[in-house]
Amino acid sequence: MLADLDRKVLRILFNFSRSNGRMPDLKELERKTGKAAPELADALDRLRKGVYIMGRRLSEVVIIESEERKPEKKAALASGSTTGGGGIYGQN
């Protein structure tokens, strides 16, 4: 589960890149989140470790997943089960 700041930063990165064709710089992220650079650096590191984004520099960031993963979906994928039961075609 993502922390509030991490989720907010991820949404800002996604929406900003879609509307502006580039990633925001650190000053823009500070302004949009109201957080200081060290807090944002920590949030970006957590997003990298969670494989939501890739890239060391903010200008090089690539978004891997634009939304938080759902815990039940992750658990189902890990166990190999599917909703509705019975494999791909509903058969066991």
Side-chain angles (χ1 to χ4, degrees):
M1 185 167 182
L2 289 175
D4 289 342
L5 179 59
D6 300 357
R7 190 178 315 104
K8 184 175 188 175
V9 168
L10 184 60
R11 294 309 309 156
I12 290 169
L13 292 175
F14 178 77
N15 291 331
F16 191 97
S17 66
R18 290 284 188 181
S19 62
N20 296 299
R22 65 177 179 84
M23 286 294 167
D25 61 28
L26 191 56
K27 291 293 181 194
E28 289 167 322
L29 266 182
E30 286 177 331
R31 190 178 72 246
K32 290 186 176 296
T33 61
K35 302 294 183 184
E39 291 176 278
L40 292 172
D42 291 342
L44 291 167
D45 283 341
R46 288 189 298 270
L47 289 171
R48 284 184 193 96
K49 287 177 185 171
V51 194
Y52 286 92
I53 63 173
M54 286 183 6
R56 290 302 311 159
R57 302 176 75 193
L58 195 51
S59 61
E60 300 169 348
V61 165
V62 175
I63 298 172
I64 306 296
E65 279 192 59
S66 61
E67 293 183 8
E68 183 173 11
R69 296 176 194 108
K70 304 287 185 240
E72 62 275 359
K73 182 178 179 183
K74 210 165 48 169
L77 290 175
S79 70
S81 69
T82 59
T83 56
I88 296 173
Y89 300 105
Q91 302 169 354
N92 286 332

